[in-house]
Amino acid sequence: MRLRDYHHQLAVLFFLVIFGIGLFVRLDQFLLQILIDDEWHAVHQLLHSTPANIATSFGHADYSIPLTLLYWFEAEQFGLSELLMRWPMMLAGILTLIVFPLYVFRQFSQHEAILFGSVIALSPLLVIYSRTARPYAITLFLVYLSVWAFYRFYDNADTEKPGQRLRYALLYCVSAAMAVWLHLIAGFFVVAPFILEASRLIIKPTVSVKRNLLALLSIGLPALALIWLLILPPLVNSLHALTVKAGSDLPSIDSLTGALYLWIGTRSGMLVIACCFLGLIGFPRVIKQSVISINILLGFVLTVLLILVSQPAWVQHPLTLARYLLPILPLLLLSIACGLYT
């Protein structure tokens, strides 16, 4: 057996072990959980609202419209249970556990992919949100899927067949719209590619500027139309409730520090400092190797600015801030993995 084949088989074995560990910590006692805290918001809507009312309002207590509509359908067809409420998030969590390391394996090295898969598998927030009847695990997966689909459409005009590019465009439109419909705060993360690529066309025009502009319009307009079709009715009907919650709270340095502890998943200040140091080492490589990371960083910055301007209720709490900015977590963990490998 050649040495390269041996290394490949060993890498596959490592991935299977990591996947098994990640699967175990996500599924352990999964069927024994009961609903707590914000998970009840959707149930309250089912008890007091019709599907039409659910689809056209965000409510006073936030609930995810598409998830609540799914719960209504499940309640009508099967009878609602904790398992039926949580399976979409668990599915998204397992897909994240598989797809994200595979993408890193293609774009980086197998050693970095193994390290990244390890921290993804054991990340406390990713484990918790895979088991929670709230949309965060799904929006995390859809944000990265939408950015990936965008660039498969945008960067392959000359190599991909028109039918294949159309499928990528459709995948972007659906995944981006669903991410925003599930959780409005995901908006800047899914539109970041348009802001980035439009800025590039303005700052550094190329001979293909017309083609690229047409590509942006051809994928952007349908996506925008679909997003507005889904969120405009509840926005209009819930405008007062949303404005009441705005201007309430402001995150502080302590909020961001607490969010960092939650993202890394430790109580140890020394471990947080060490991970930040490793992240700074690995971050340039991550940005250089993956255009998706640039978009996630841009979405993160824009979302932070939105939070500072709108000052939504409860955002001063580290956990609230951490989940609002959750798409940055895989980028942070990948930077740490690359820094550790370096």
Side-chain angles (χ1 to χ4, degrees):
M1 181 185 295
R2 290 183 303 174
L3 185 61
R4 180 178 297 180
D5 294 335
Y6 174 76
H7 285 166
H8 179 73
Q9 292 181 5
L10 191 61
V12 171
L13 178 62
F14 271 118
F15 276 120
L16 290 176
V17 171
I18 291 166
F19 175 72
I21 294 172
L23 197 62
F24 172 77
V25 297
R26 283 159 175 76
L27 292 175
D28 181 39
Q29 303 185 56
F30 182 57
L31 299 180
L32 302 180
Q33 290 183 224
I34 60 173
L35 299 181
I36 61 171
D37 298 333
D38 291 354
E39 292 178 303
W40 282 100
H41 293 337
V43 178
H44 294 155
Q45 288 299 317
L46 295 177
L47 294 174
H48 301 107
S49 298
T50 65
N53 290 334
I54 292 171
T56 55
S57 172
F58 291 117
H60 178 71
D62 295 336
Y63 62 93
S64 177
I65 292 175
L67 274 183
T68 308
L69 290 174
L70 173 65
Y71 298 156
W72 175 86
F73 174 79
E74 291 175 336
E76 291 292 313
Q77 298 298 318
F78 318 109
L80 199 60
S81 67
E82 287 87 348
L83 175 61
L84 287 178
M85 290 184 68
R86 292 195 172 106
W87 74 263
M89 281 60 68
M90 180 57 70
L91 177 61
I94 293 173
L95 287 175
T96 299
L97 187 59
I98 298 171
V99 174
F100 283 31
L102 286 178
Y103 172 82
V104 172
F105 181 81
R106 287 176 174 270
Q107 298 293 322
F108 295 79
S109 70
Q110 66 180 22
H111 303 90
E112 290 163 320
I114 290 170
L115 290 170
F116 175 65
S118 301
V119 292
I120 282 281
L122 296 174
S123 168
L125 272 191
L126 295 184
V127 171
I128 289 169
Y129 287 141
S130 297
R131 302 165 58 96
T132 304
R134 296 289 284 172
Y136 315 123
I138 307 177
T139 53
L140 173 71
F141 183 80
L142 289 178
V143 161
Y144 280 83
L145 179 64
S146 64
V147 178
W148 175 82
F150 173 90
Y151 280 99
R152 292 295 295 182
F153 168 84
Y154 185 75
D155 286 342
N156 296 297
D158 299 325
T159 57
E160 295 282 3
K161 297 178 180 179
Q164 188 69 27
R165 291 187 72 230
L166 180 61
R167 285 192 284 272
Y168 287 130
L170 181 62
L171 179 60
Y172 170 79
C173 292
V174 173
S175 56
M178 282 301 300
V180 177
W181 199 27
L182 282 159
H183 199 200
L184 283 177
I185 200 69
F188 274 129
F189 286 101
V190 299
V191 303
F194 294 97
I195 300 173
L196 179 63
E197 297 307 325
S199 301
R200 284 176 172 175
L201 291 180
I202 294 171
I203 296 172
K204 191 177 181 180
T206 63
V207 292
S208 57
V209 62
K210 183 178 180 180
R211 185 193 66 185
N212 290 342
L213 182 59
L214 288 175
L216 288 177
L217 291 175
S218 64
I219 192 176
L221 293 178
L224 185 63
L226 182 57
I227 290 173
W228 279 112
L229 179 66
L230 294 173
I231 70 169
L232 188 59
L235 271 179
V236 172
N237 292 330
S238 307
L239 191 59
H240 176 70
L242 293 174
T243 53
V244 166
K245 297 174 187 176
S248 301
D249 299 303
L250 193 64
S252 62
I253 295 298
D254 289 338
S255 306
L256 187 57
T257 304
L260 190 59
Y261 274 78
L262 289 166
W263 287 330
I264 295 176
T266 181
R267 295 171 58 187
S268 168
M270 291 302 296
L271 187 56
V272 168
I273 293 171
C275 286
C276 289
F277 177 71
L278 292 173
L280 289 174
I281 294 174
F283 183 68
R285 172 163 169 77
V286 173
I287 292 296
K288 181 181 179 181
Q289 289 293 114
S290 173
V291 70
I292 293 179
S293 62
I294 302 174
N295 286 273
I296 296 301
L297 181 61
L298 176 59
F300 172 81
V301 171
L302 294 175
T303 305
V304 169
L305 292 176
L306 175 65
I307 290 171
L308 293 176
V309 171
S310 61
Q311 301 176 22
W314 310 110
V315 77
Q316 79 276 20
H317 298 292
L319 184 58
T320 303
L321 184 64
R323 67 174 180 243
Y324 279 1
L325 302 172
L326 190 63
I328 199 65
L329 177 54
L331 182 60
L332 173 64
L333 296 180
L334 179 56
S335 298
I336 293 171
C338 290
L340 182 59
Y341 175 66
T342 299

